[in-house]
Amino acid sequence: EAGVAQSPRYKIIEKRQSVAFWCNPISGHATLYWYQQILGQGPKLLIQFQNNGVVDDSQLPKDRFSAERLKGVDSTLKIQPAKLEDSAVYLCASSLGTSGNPYEQYFGPGTRLTVT
Amino acid sequence: GENVEQHPSTLSVQEGDSAVIKCTYSDSASNYFPWYKQELGKGPQLIIDIRSNVGEKKDQRIAVTLNKTAKHFSLHITETQPEDSAVYFCAATTYNQGGKLIFGQGTELSVKP
């Protein structure tokens, strides 16, 4: 079974530029999460999708961050314009959201963003 | 909302010794407590989890204990090996309310051969 795929793995941009990250969850996983992990901290949820609907975006800085999950599969997370404090690893995770252990989250390798 | 505190932030042990990492949570409604291992350059990987109706769970060299009254849970690794070296995160969530995980700050475990 293929894992969660993310691209790019690394990105360096200047402040005020825009950037986009892509995530392909495990096939059949209804729930998709985007987390921000600042160096030395635990992941913090930015947004959670159930199929193509948003379940929780309470910690997403909506003035600069946006995310979409078209057709309930792939997802993109965008930052525009980027700030220095956005430097972090952006992790995508997915879970079944149904039976068994619906909340076991499978994480991708992350995208390391550096804003200069 | 939920808040999870994790200690220690770093832990160094000799190979073969045991390692213990502790977490406390604030929301008494939380009922699912997973532990993740994160190796350098990789995403977190679930290693063990426990639900609030269970006090202890074991999986080979790894065990987790939960004290609901005190609102704390711990990860125990016995007979540590160099490949156990990584950052470990505890997390908490309310199982039937969306699965939003609140993570602790992480513990960097170093196992010296």
Side-chain angles (χ1 to χ4, degrees):
Chain A
E1 180 183 71
V4 176
Q6 290 189 247
S7 67
R9 291 295 314 277
Y10 306 92
K11 191 74 177 178
I12 300 174
I13 62 172
E14 295 181 351
K15 60 184 179 184
R16 291 187 290 274
Q17 286 186 324
S18 63
V19 65
F21 313 126
W22 174 81
C23 173
N24 182 236
I26 294 173
S27 178
H29 280 197
T31 307
L32 185 147
Y33 312 80
W34 282 102
Y35 288 88
Q36 180 191 59
Q37 185 176 24
I38 293 172
L39 187 64
Q41 298 182 18
K44 182 185 81 171
L45 182 72
L46 292 175
I47 189 167
Q48 176 182 346
F49 292 94
Q50 178 76 21
N51 296 309
N52 60 351
V54 175
V55 174
D56 186 338
D57 64 357
S58 58
Q59 299 208 77
L60 187 73
K62 298 181 187 62
D63 58 333
R64 298 183 301 105
F65 287 64
S66 64
E68 60 182 7
R69 190 183 184 196
L70 298 176
K71 302 180 182 178
V73 182
D74 293 9
S75 178
T76 56
L77 176 70
K78 297 179 181 178
I79 306 175
Q80 182 179 14
K83 293 185 175 182
L84 295 176
E85 58 261 36
D86 298 332
S87 293
V89 175
Y90 290 85
L91 294 163
C92 179
S94 67
S95 66
L96 276 171
T98 53
S99 60
N101 181 0
Y103 300 118
E104 177 173 353
Q105 296 185 22
Y106 296 81
F107 284 81
T111 296
R112 180 176 297 278
L113 174 67
T114 302
V115 182
T116 63
Chain B
E2 176 65 280
N3 183 54
V4 177
E5 298 286 335
Q6 183 173 346
H7 299 280
S9 56
T10 61
L11 181 58
S12 182
V13 299
Q14 288 294 131
E15 182 177 1
D17 287 351
S18 295
V20 180
I21 302 171
K22 299 182 178 182
C23 290
T24 60
Y25 61 99
S26 61
D27 188 351
S28 57
S30 290
N31 55 13
Y32 175 65
F33 308 92
W35 285 87
Y36 284 83
K37 176 183 181 182
Q38 187 172 28
E39 297 175 322
L40 197 62
K42 297 183 179 180
Q45 181 181 14
L46 180 72
I47 56 171
I48 195 168
D49 56 15
I50 191 168
R51 302 180 191 182
S52 59
N53 60 347
V54 175
E56 184 175 1
K57 183 178 179 180
K58 289 184 179 180
D59 183 3
Q60 299 182 347
R61 298 187 295 109
I62 294 174
V64 58
T65 59
L66 171 66
N67 183 325
K68 288 189 296 183
T69 303
K71 290 191 279 190
H72 64 71
F73 56 113
S74 301
L75 177 71
H76 305 252
I77 306 174
T78 58
E79 301 173 19
T80 54
Q81 301 167 3
E83 51 265 39
D84 294 330
S85 296
V87 180
Y88 292 80
F89 291 97
C90 62
T93 188
T94 306
Y95 188 81
N96 56 350
Q97 292 184 13
K100 173 182 177 179
L101 290 174
I102 304 299
F103 284 85
Q105 299 90 332
T107 296
E108 184 174 3
L109 174 64
S110 175
V111 181
K112 299 183 185 303

Short mmCIF file of all heavy atoms in Angstrom, two decimals, chain B residues 4-56:
data_model
loop_
_atom_site.label_atom_id
_atom_site.label_comp_id
_atom_site.label_asym_id
_atom_site.label_seq_id
_atom_site.Cartn_x
_atom_site.Cartn_y
_atom_site.Cartn_z
N VAL B 4 -1.54 19.68 25.80
CA VAL B 4 -0.74 18.50 26.15
C VAL B 4 0.69 18.94 26.47
O VAL B 4 1.32 19.64 25.67
CB VAL B 4 -0.73 17.48 24.99
CG1 VAL B 4 0.16 16.29 25.34
CG2 VAL B 4 -2.15 17.00 24.69
N GLU B 5 1.15 18.57 27.66
CA GLU B 5 2.51 18.86 28.09
C GLU B 5 3.31 17.56 28.11
O GLU B 5 2.82 16.53 28.61
CB GLU B 5 2.51 19.49 29.48
CG GLU B 5 1.77 20.81 29.57
CD GLU B 5 2.58 21.94 28.94
OE1 GLU B 5 3.82 21.82 28.87
OE2 GLU B 5 1.96 22.93 28.51
N GLN B 6 4.55 17.61 27.61
CA GLN B 6 5.37 16.41 27.48
C GLN B 6 6.73 16.65 28.12
O GLN B 6 7.33 17.71 27.93
CB GLN B 6 5.54 16.05 26.00
CG GLN B 6 6.32 14.79 25.73
CD GLN B 6 6.31 14.40 24.25
OE1 GLN B 6 5.52 14.91 23.46
NE2 GLN B 6 7.20 13.49 23.86
N HIS B 7 7.21 15.64 28.86
CA HIS B 7 8.51 15.73 29.53
C HIS B 7 9.20 14.37 29.52
O HIS B 7 8.52 13.34 29.59
CB HIS B 7 8.32 16.18 30.99
CG HIS B 7 7.68 17.51 31.11
ND1 HIS B 7 8.37 18.68 30.96
CD2 HIS B 7 6.39 17.84 31.37
CE1 HIS B 7 7.54 19.68 31.12
NE2 HIS B 7 6.34 19.20 31.36
N PRO B 8 10.53 14.31 29.44
CA PRO B 8 11.43 15.45 29.28
C PRO B 8 11.54 15.85 27.81
O PRO B 8 11.02 15.15 26.94
CB PRO B 8 12.76 14.88 29.79
CG PRO B 8 12.71 13.44 29.39
CD PRO B 8 11.26 13.03 29.54
N SER B 9 12.22 16.94 27.53
CA SER B 9 12.39 17.35 26.14
C SER B 9 13.53 16.57 25.48
O SER B 9 13.51 16.36 24.26
CB SER B 9 12.66 18.85 26.05
OG SER B 9 13.79 19.19 26.84
N THR B 10 14.50 16.15 26.27
CA THR B 10 15.57 15.29 25.77
C THR B 10 15.82 14.18 26.79
O THR B 10 15.65 14.38 27.99
CB THR B 10 16.88 16.07 25.53
OG1 THR B 10 17.33 16.63 26.75
CG2 THR B 10 16.69 17.17 24.50
N LEU B 11 16.22 13.03 26.27
CA LEU B 11 16.46 11.87 27.13
C LEU B 11 17.58 11.04 26.51
O LEU B 11 17.49 10.67 25.34
CB LEU B 11 15.19 11.03 27.25
CG LEU B 11 15.21 9.78 28.11
CD1 LEU B 11 15.59 10.11 29.55
CD2 LEU B 11 13.85 9.08 28.07
N SER B 12 18.61 10.78 27.30
CA SER B 12 19.73 9.99 26.82
C SER B 12 19.87 8.75 27.71
O SER B 12 19.93 8.89 28.94
CB SER B 12 21.02 10.82 26.85
OG SER B 12 22.11 10.07 26.35
N VAL B 13 19.90 7.58 27.09
CA VAL B 13 20.03 6.33 27.85
C VAL B 13 21.08 5.45 27.20
O VAL B 13 21.42 5.64 26.02
CB VAL B 13 18.68 5.57 27.93
CG1 VAL B 13 17.62 6.42 28.63
CG2 VAL B 13 18.20 5.14 26.56
N GLN B 14 21.56 4.49 27.97
CA GLN B 14 22.48 3.49 27.43
C GLN B 14 21.67 2.36 26.79
O GLN B 14 20.57 2.02 27.27
CB GLN B 14 23.37 2.92 28.53
CG GLN B 14 24.44 3.87 29.04
CD GLN B 14 25.48 4.20 27.98
OE1 GLN B 14 25.79 5.36 27.78
NE2 GLN B 14 26.00 3.18 27.31
N GLU B 15 22.21 1.79 25.75
CA GLU B 15 21.56 0.66 25.11
C GLU B 15 21.24 -0.41 26.14
O GLU B 15 22.07 -0.76 26.98
CB GLU B 15 22.47 0.08 24.03
CG GLU B 15 21.88 -1.07 23.25
CD GLU B 15 22.80 -1.56 22.14
OE1 GLU B 15 23.90 -1.00 21.98
OE2 GLU B 15 22.41 -2.50 21.42
N GLY B 16 20.00 -0.91 26.09
CA GLY B 16 19.57 -1.93 27.04
C GLY B 16 18.80 -1.39 28.23
O GLY B 16 18.07 -2.13 28.89
N ASP B 17 18.97 -0.09 28.49
CA ASP B 17 18.22 0.53 29.59
C ASP B 17 16.78 0.80 29.15
O ASP B 17 16.43 0.67 27.98
CB ASP B 17 18.88 1.85 30.01
CG ASP B 17 20.17 1.63 30.77
OD1 ASP B 17 20.47 0.47 31.13
OD2 ASP B 17 20.89 2.64 30.99
N SER B 18 15.97 1.20 30.12
CA SER B 18 14.58 1.59 29.83
C SER B 18 14.47 3.10 29.69
O SER B 18 15.29 3.85 30.24
CB SER B 18 13.65 1.12 30.96
OG SER B 18 13.62 -0.30 31.02
N ALA B 19 13.47 3.53 28.94
CA ALA B 19 13.20 4.96 28.77
C ALA B 19 11.73 5.21 29.06
O ALA B 19 10.87 4.41 28.66
CB ALA B 19 13.54 5.40 27.35
N VAL B 20 11.46 6.31 29.75
CA VAL B 20 10.08 6.67 30.10
C VAL B 20 9.84 8.12 29.71
O VAL B 20 10.62 9.00 30.05
CB VAL B 20 9.80 6.50 31.60
CG1 VAL B 20 8.35 6.89 31.91
CG2 VAL B 20 10.07 5.06 32.03
N ILE B 21 8.76 8.36 28.99
CA ILE B 21 8.36 9.70 28.58
C ILE B 21 6.94 9.93 29.11
O ILE B 21 6.08 9.05 28.99
CB ILE B 21 8.37 9.84 27.05
CG1 ILE B 21 9.77 9.52 26.50
CG2 ILE B 21 7.96 11.26 26.64
CD1 ILE B 21 9.83 9.42 24.99
N LYS B 22 6.73 11.11 29.70
CA LYS B 22 5.45 11.38 30.36
C LYS B 22 4.72 12.55 29.71
O LYS B 22 5.34 13.52 29.29
CB LYS B 22 5.69 11.67 31.84
CG LYS B 22 6.32 10.50 32.59
CD LYS B 22 6.50 10.81 34.05
CE LYS B 22 7.11 9.59 34.78
NZ LYS B 22 7.27 9.84 36.22
N CYS B 23 3.40 12.44 29.68
CA CYS B 23 2.55 13.50 29.14
C CYS B 23 1.36 13.74 30.05
O CYS B 23 0.85 12.79 30.66
CB CYS B 23 2.06 13.15 27.74
SG CYS B 23 3.36 13.18 26.50
N THR B 24 0.95 14.99 30.14
CA THR B 24 -0.27 15.33 30.85
C THR B 24 -1.20 16.05 29.87
O THR B 24 -0.74 16.71 28.94
CB THR B 24 -0.01 16.24 32.06
OG1 THR B 24 0.61 17.45 31.61
CG2 THR B 24 0.90 15.56 33.06
N TYR B 25 -2.49 15.90 30.08
CA TYR B 25 -3.47 16.57 29.23
C TYR B 25 -4.46 17.32 30.09
O TYR B 25 -4.60 17.05 31.29
CB TYR B 25 -4.16 15.58 28.29
CG TYR B 25 -4.95 14.48 28.97
CD1 TYR B 25 -6.33 14.57 29.11
CD2 TYR B 25 -4.31 13.33 29.44
CE1 TYR B 25 -7.06 13.56 29.71
CE2 TYR B 25 -5.03 12.31 30.05
CZ TYR B 25 -6.40 12.42 30.18
OH TYR B 25 -7.13 11.42 30.78
N SER B 26 -5.17 18.26 29.50
CA SER B 26 -6.04 19.13 30.29
C SER B 26 -7.52 18.84 30.12
O SER B 26 -8.30 19.08 31.05
CB SER B 26 -5.77 20.60 29.91
OG SER B 26 -6.07 20.81 28.54
N ASP B 27 -7.93 18.30 28.97
CA ASP B 27 -9.35 18.12 28.68
C ASP B 27 -9.80 16.72 29.12
O ASP B 27 -9.39 15.72 28.52
CB ASP B 27 -9.59 18.31 27.19
CG ASP B 27 -11.06 18.33 26.82
OD1 ASP B 27 -11.90 18.02 27.69
OD2 ASP B 27 -11.38 18.64 25.67
N SER B 28 -10.64 16.66 30.12
CA SER B 28 -11.10 15.36 30.63
C SER B 28 -11.93 14.60 29.61
O SER B 28 -12.17 13.40 29.78
CB SER B 28 -11.90 15.57 31.92
OG SER B 28 -12.98 16.44 31.68
N ALA B 29 -12.39 15.26 28.54
CA ALA B 29 -13.17 14.59 27.50
C ALA B 29 -12.27 13.80 26.53
O ALA B 29 -12.77 12.95 25.78
CB ALA B 29 -13.99 15.59 26.71
N SER B 30 -10.97 14.05 26.55
CA SER B 30 -10.07 13.32 25.65
C SER B 30 -10.10 11.84 25.96
O SER B 30 -10.11 11.43 27.14
CB SER B 30 -8.64 13.85 25.79
OG SER B 30 -8.54 15.14 25.24
N ASN B 31 -10.15 11.02 24.93
CA ASN B 31 -10.29 9.58 25.16
C ASN B 31 -9.44 8.72 24.23
O ASN B 31 -9.59 7.51 24.17
CB ASN B 31 -11.77 9.16 25.05
CG ASN B 31 -12.39 9.59 23.73
OD1 ASN B 31 -11.69 9.99 22.80
ND2 ASN B 31 -13.72 9.51 23.65
N TYR B 32 -8.54 9.34 23.48
CA TYR B 32 -7.66 8.57 22.60
C TYR B 32 -6.29 9.22 22.65
O TYR B 32 -6.16 10.43 22.45
CB TYR B 32 -8.21 8.56 21.17
CG TYR B 32 -7.32 7.89 20.16
CD1 TYR B 32 -7.03 6.53 20.23
CD2 TYR B 32 -6.76 8.62 19.12
CE1 TYR B 32 -6.21 5.91 19.29
CE2 TYR B 32 -5.93 8.02 18.19
CZ TYR B 32 -5.67 6.67 18.28
OH TYR B 32 -4.85 6.06 17.35
N PHE B 33 -5.25 8.37 22.93
CA PHE B 33 -3.91 8.89 23.20
C PHE B 33 -2.88 8.10 22.40
O PHE B 33 -2.40 7.06 22.84
CB PHE B 33 -3.61 8.81 24.70
CG PHE B 33 -4.69 9.45 25.54
CD1 PHE B 33 -5.75 8.70 26.03
CD2 PHE B 33 -4.64 10.80 25.84
CE1 PHE B 33 -6.75 9.28 26.79
CE2 PHE B 33 -5.64 11.39 26.60
CZ PHE B 33 -6.70 10.64 27.07
N PRO B 34 -2.51 8.60 21.24
CA PRO B 34 -1.50 7.91 20.43
C PRO B 34 -0.10 8.43 20.73
O PRO B 34 0.08 9.57 21.19
CB PRO B 34 -1.91 8.26 19.00
CG PRO B 34 -2.54 9.61 19.12
CD PRO B 34 -3.17 9.67 20.49
N TRP B 35 0.88 7.61 20.42
CA TRP B 35 2.28 7.99 20.50
C TRP B 35 2.90 7.82 19.11
O TRP B 35 2.70 6.79 18.46
CB TRP B 35 3.04 7.12 21.50
CG TRP B 35 2.76 7.44 22.92
CD1 TRP B 35 1.76 6.95 23.69
CD2 TRP B 35 3.49 8.35 23.75
NE1 TRP B 35 1.82 7.49 24.96
CE2 TRP B 35 2.87 8.34 25.02
CE3 TRP B 35 4.62 9.16 23.56
CZ2 TRP B 35 3.34 9.11 26.10
CZ3 TRP B 35 5.08 9.91 24.61
CH2 TRP B 35 4.44 9.89 25.86
N TYR B 36 3.64 8.86 18.69
CA TYR B 36 4.28 8.83 17.38
C TYR B 36 5.79 8.92 17.53
O TYR B 36 6.31 9.59 18.42
CB TYR B 36 3.78 10.02 16.53
CG TYR B 36 2.40 9.83 15.97
CD1 TYR B 36 1.27 10.11 16.74
CD2 TYR B 36 2.22 9.36 14.67
CE1 TYR B 36 0.00 9.95 16.22
CE2 TYR B 36 0.95 9.19 14.15
CZ TYR B 36 -0.16 9.47 14.93
OH TYR B 36 -1.41 9.30 14.41
N LYS B 37 6.48 8.26 16.62
CA LYS B 37 7.94 8.31 16.51
C LYS B 37 8.28 9.03 15.23
O LYS B 37 7.73 8.72 14.17
CB LYS B 37 8.51 6.88 16.48
CG LYS B 37 10.01 6.80 16.29
CD LYS B 37 10.45 5.33 16.21
CE LYS B 37 11.95 5.18 16.02
NZ LYS B 37 12.36 3.75 15.90
N GLN B 38 9.15 10.03 15.31
CA GLN B 38 9.55 10.77 14.13
C GLN B 38 11.05 10.71 13.96
O GLN B 38 11.80 11.21 14.79
CB GLN B 38 9.08 12.23 14.19
CG GLN B 38 9.32 13.01 12.91
CD GLN B 38 8.68 14.38 12.93
OE1 GLN B 38 8.49 14.99 13.97
NE2 GLN B 38 8.34 14.89 11.75
N GLU B 39 11.48 10.10 12.88
CA GLU B 39 12.90 10.05 12.54
C GLU B 39 13.24 11.24 11.65
O GLU B 39 12.36 11.83 11.01
CB GLU B 39 13.22 8.71 11.87
CG GLU B 39 12.98 7.52 12.81
CD GLU B 39 13.19 6.18 12.14
OE1 GLU B 39 12.84 6.04 10.96
OE2 GLU B 39 13.73 5.28 12.81
N LEU B 40 14.50 11.56 11.61
CA LEU B 40 14.96 12.75 10.90
C LEU B 40 14.53 12.72 9.43
O LEU B 40 14.76 11.73 8.73
CB LEU B 40 16.48 12.84 11.01
CG LEU B 40 17.10 14.19 10.69
CD1 LEU B 40 16.60 15.25 11.67
CD2 LEU B 40 18.62 14.11 10.73
N GLY B 41 13.88 13.77 9.01
CA GLY B 41 13.47 13.89 7.61
C GLY B 41 12.24 13.10 7.23
O GLY B 41 11.89 13.01 6.05
N LYS B 42 11.57 12.53 8.24
CA LYS B 42 10.38 11.74 7.96
C LYS B 42 9.19 12.28 8.73
O LYS B 42 9.32 13.05 9.67
CB LYS B 42 10.62 10.28 8.35
CG LYS B 42 11.72 9.60 7.55
CD LYS B 42 11.84 8.14 7.94
CE LYS B 42 12.93 7.44 7.12
NZ LYS B 42 13.07 6.00 7.50
N GLY B 43 8.00 11.84 8.32
CA GLY B 43 6.80 12.21 9.05
C GLY B 43 6.63 11.32 10.28
O GLY B 43 7.23 10.25 10.37
N PRO B 44 5.83 11.75 11.23
CA PRO B 44 5.58 10.92 12.42
C PRO B 44 4.92 9.59 12.05
O PRO B 44 4.12 9.53 11.12
CB PRO B 44 4.62 11.79 13.25
CG PRO B 44 4.82 13.19 12.76
CD PRO B 44 5.14 13.05 11.30
N GLN B 45 5.28 8.54 12.81
CA GLN B 45 4.71 7.22 12.59
C GLN B 45 4.13 6.71 13.89
O GLN B 45 4.81 6.73 14.92
CB GLN B 45 5.79 6.26 12.08
CG GLN B 45 5.28 4.85 11.81
CD GLN B 45 6.37 3.91 11.33
OE1 GLN B 45 7.56 4.22 11.43
NE2 GLN B 45 5.98 2.76 10.81
N LEU B 46 2.88 6.25 13.84
CA LEU B 46 2.22 5.73 15.03
C LEU B 46 2.93 4.47 15.53
O LEU B 46 3.20 3.55 14.76
CB LEU B 46 0.77 5.38 14.71
CG LEU B 46 -0.06 4.83 15.88
CD1 LEU B 46 -0.35 5.93 16.88
CD2 LEU B 46 -1.36 4.21 15.38
N ILE B 47 3.26 4.43 16.83
CA ILE B 47 3.91 3.25 17.38
C ILE B 47 3.02 2.51 18.36
O ILE B 47 3.10 1.29 18.50
CB ILE B 47 5.27 3.59 18.04
CG1 ILE B 47 5.11 4.66 19.12
CG2 ILE B 47 6.28 4.01 16.99
CD1 ILE B 47 6.37 4.88 19.95
N ILE B 48 2.16 3.23 19.04
CA ILE B 48 1.22 2.60 19.96
C ILE B 48 0.17 3.62 20.35
O ILE B 48 0.43 4.82 20.27
CB ILE B 48 1.95 2.05 21.22
CG1 ILE B 48 1.05 1.08 22.01
CG2 ILE B 48 2.44 3.17 22.11
CD1 ILE B 48 1.80 0.28 23.08
N ASP B 49 -1.01 3.15 20.71
CA ASP B 49 -2.06 4.08 21.14
C ASP B 49 -2.86 3.42 22.26
O ASP B 49 -2.78 2.20 22.47
CB ASP B 49 -2.97 4.49 19.99
CG ASP B 49 -3.61 3.31 19.27
OD1 ASP B 49 -3.59 2.18 19.80
OD2 ASP B 49 -4.11 3.51 18.15
N ILE B 50 -3.61 4.23 22.99
CA ILE B 50 -4.43 3.71 24.07
C ILE B 50 -5.72 4.51 24.14
O ILE B 50 -5.71 5.71 23.88
CB ILE B 50 -3.66 3.73 25.42
CG1 ILE B 50 -4.40 2.94 26.49
CG2 ILE B 50 -3.38 5.16 25.87
CD1 ILE B 50 -3.56 2.67 27.73
N ARG B 51 -6.80 3.83 24.46
CA ARG B 51 -8.09 4.50 24.60
C ARG B 51 -8.44 4.59 26.08
O ARG B 51 -7.90 3.84 26.90
CB ARG B 51 -9.16 3.74 23.82
CG ARG B 51 -8.79 3.64 22.35
CD ARG B 51 -9.79 2.90 21.51
NE ARG B 51 -9.23 2.63 20.19
CZ ARG B 51 -9.90 2.03 19.21
NH1 ARG B 51 -11.14 1.63 19.41
NH2 ARG B 51 -9.33 1.82 18.04
N SER B 52 -9.34 5.47 26.41
CA SER B 52 -9.57 5.81 27.81
C SER B 52 -10.21 4.70 28.63
O SER B 52 -10.26 4.78 29.84
CB SER B 52 -10.41 7.08 27.93
OG SER B 52 -11.66 6.89 27.28
N ASN B 53 -10.70 3.65 27.97
CA ASN B 53 -11.30 2.54 28.72
C ASN B 53 -10.26 1.47 29.08
O ASN B 53 -10.62 0.40 29.59
CB ASN B 53 -12.45 1.92 27.92
CG ASN B 53 -12.00 1.39 26.57
OD1 ASN B 53 -10.89 1.68 26.11
ND2 ASN B 53 -12.84 0.60 25.93
N VAL B 54 -8.99 1.78 28.81
CA VAL B 54 -7.90 0.83 29.07
C VAL B 54 -6.83 1.54 29.90
O VAL B 54 -6.54 2.71 29.66
CB VAL B 54 -7.29 0.32 27.75
CG1 VAL B 54 -6.09 -0.57 28.01
CG2 VAL B 54 -8.34 -0.42 26.94
N GLY B 55 -6.24 0.83 30.89
CA GLY B 55 -5.23 1.46 31.73
C GLY B 55 -3.81 1.24 31.24
O GLY B 55 -2.92 2.02 31.55
N GLU B 56 -3.61 0.14 30.49
CA GLU B 56 -2.27 -0.18 30.04
C GLU B 56 -2.35 -1.00 28.76
O GLU B 56 -3.26 -1.80 28.57
CB GLU B 56 -1.51 -0.97 31.10
CG GLU B 56 -0.07 -1.28 30.75
CD GLU B 56 0.69 -1.97 31.88
OE1 GLU B 56 0.06 -2.23 32.93
OE2 GLU B 56 1.88 -2.24 31.70
#
